[in-house]
Amino acid sequence: MTKIEIDWNKEVELIGPKLFRFFTVFFSSEESADLVQETLIRLVRKYKNKKIDFEKGNLKNYSFGIARFVRLENIKRYAKNKETNLDEMDERSIEIESDDIENKITLKEEIKTLKKAINTLKEEQKQILSLLLDKDLTLLEISEIIEMPIGTVKSHIHRAKSELKKILGIY
Amino acid sequence: MDDRDKELDKIIDPLRKEDINDFYIKRWQKNVADELEISRKFNLKNFFFVNMKLATATIAGFVLGALIFGNTEFFQENNQMVKNLDDSATVEYIFIKID
């Protein structure tokens, strides 16, 4: 495999926030920050051990693949704090870029409600939704990351959307 | 190919507005840099360690070999034993009278 020189500072700036959003669907901000760090460290090690094939995928896709496993490994670890964490993330850790305070509060509430709704969905649907948060990921890339046929991914998306609309009262 | 569900994208859009604290990004960058540094140091250390082992083994081999085969008395005695076992070897009996 050809080793490509990488500007890691730039990659962290690009990939870090995407991974962070992926994790914050399931964990608090502090936990998510730790999990992003763990994911990035594993990504660096993979790169150093020449296990990244840039012909098969870019660094971002590899990082999401790793993030999936990091999330599964840590679900149990953080599970006992789950209820507390959902409240914590509402109050302290959600930062919204907005000058309008009223808008900020509304948005915080929306985010809180959305996260709770997503956490009631099935595991596969949760994973797919958390990947969909990255607007740049195509369905094909998502299907490769979670190792699922694209037809199945679309099916899960359709069902997740119906469920969310039911929970959130969107018609 | 844009085959994403636009309606679902709109529903989950608020989650994208969550801002990332710069402090986190700097922390991740620092940890990635530290990890790269560890890997670099480990590789150099590993390189020397492996080659030191090889060099030590080679030297030890030479020293042992010199001790065993360089000792001519030992070599000669063993050489004699091989000669005695040869089919064409003859046997000499020497009788010593002890008073």
Side-chain angles (χ1 to χ4, degrees):
Chain A
M1 277 174 221
T2 326
K3 197 176 173 183
I4 295 175
E5 282 306 315
I6 290 173
D7 180 352
W8 284 100
N9 277 345
K10 192 178 171 189
E11 290 298 336
V12 169
E13 239 179 88
L14 285 168
I15 298 174
K18 293 177 194 280
L19 290 174
F20 185 78
R21 285 191 192 98
F22 171 84
F23 284 118
T24 53
V25 175
F26 314 102
F27 304 100
S28 72
S29 286
E30 265 309 308
E31 287 163 356
S32 299
D34 289 342
L35 296 177
V36 169
Q37 185 172 299
E38 197 174 326
T39 305
L40 289 170
I41 299 294
R42 289 195 199 188
L43 185 68
V44 168
R45 286 181 188 161
K46 234 180 156 84
Y47 168 77
K48 292 301 283 185
N49 293 332
K50 296 177 185 142
K51 286 186 179 168
I52 292 183
D53 185 354
F54 288 99
E55 283 167 26
K56 286 186 181 170
N58 57 37
L59 219 53
K60 185 184 72 174
N61 291 7
Y62 271 100
S63 67
F64 273 120
I66 296 169
R68 246 186 87 221
F69 289 107
V70 167
R71 179 190 153 256
L72 289 169
E73 286 164 10
N74 285 277
I75 278 176
K76 280 187 185 171
R77 193 170 132 201
Y78 291 122
K80 57 181 178 178
N81 294 331
K82 197 171 180 181
E83 278 177 34
T84 322
N85 288 340
L86 280 172
D87 291 334
E88 246 180 58
M89 79 173 131
D90 303 336
E91 295 311 316
R92 283 190 299 162
S93 19
I94 301 176
E95 290 184 34
I96 317 289
E97 233 182 64
S98 177
D99 292 327
D100 184 350
I101 294 172
E102 218 176 285
N103 192 31
K104 241 182 181 172
I105 294 169
T106 315
L107 208 44
K108 270 193 175 186
E109 280 302 312
E110 267 184 65
I111 290 172
K112 170 184 166 180
T113 312
L114 251 176
K115 284 185 181 179
K116 283 187 174 165
I118 290 173
N119 274 290
T120 63
L121 298 175
K122 287 185 181 170
E123 181 57 34
E124 300 87 0
Q125 292 167 357
K126 279 190 226 180
Q127 282 201 57
I128 292 168
L129 283 180
S130 56
L131 288 169
L132 281 171
L133 285 175
D134 180 7
K135 278 186 168 174
D136 300 325
L137 278 178
T138 63
L139 289 193
L140 182 62
E141 285 173 323
I142 291 174
S143 74
E144 284 166 3
I145 290 167
I146 59 174
E147 292 163 340
M148 210 183 263
I150 192 165
T152 314
V153 170
K154 286 182 180 176
S155 215
H156 282 303
I157 286 174
H158 180 75
R159 280 191 226 118
K161 187 173 73 173
S162 305
E163 272 303 309
L164 276 181
K165 281 169 87 171
K166 212 191 302 181
I167 298 169
L168 300 170
I170 301 168
Y171 300 104
Chain B
M1 188 173 70
D2 185 10
D3 52 357
R4 292 172 60 118
D5 189 315
K6 287 181 173 55
E7 196 183 356
L8 182 58
D9 267 334
K10 199 177 169 191
I11 293 172
I12 61 175
D13 196 51
L15 293 174
R16 297 190 183 106
K17 294 193 170 95
E18 207 170 343
D19 201 17
I20 313 296
N21 196 325
D22 267 350
F23 165 76
Y24 287 145
I25 295 179
K26 290 204 178 349
R27 188 174 110 188
W28 298 328
Q29 283 172 333
K30 185 192 173 300
N31 285 307
V32 161
D34 288 347
E35 180 62 31
L36 287 163
E37 186 62 22
I38 290 169
S39 298
R40 192 189 67 81
K41 279 183 180 168
F42 179 76
N43 280 340
L44 274 171
K45 197 175 161 186
N46 213 28
F47 173 79
F48 282 120
F49 184 62
V50 166
N51 285 296
M52 277 300 287
K53 277 206 295 190
L54 270 171
T56 312
T58 309
I59 292 167
F62 276 120
V63 167
L64 260 170
L67 281 171
I68 294 169
F69 301 107
N71 182 340
T72 52
E73 196 181 304
F74 174 81
F75 183 74
Q76 278 174 2
E77 280 173 16
N78 282 289
N79 202 16
Q80 187 60 48
M81 189 172 77
V82 167
K83 282 183 184 172
N84 291 347
L85 291 169
D86 193 343
D87 286 339
S88 62
T90 54
V91 179
E92 255 181 64
Y93 290 96
I94 299 166
F95 295 96
I96 300 169
K97 188 179 173 184
I98 302 167
D99 287 322

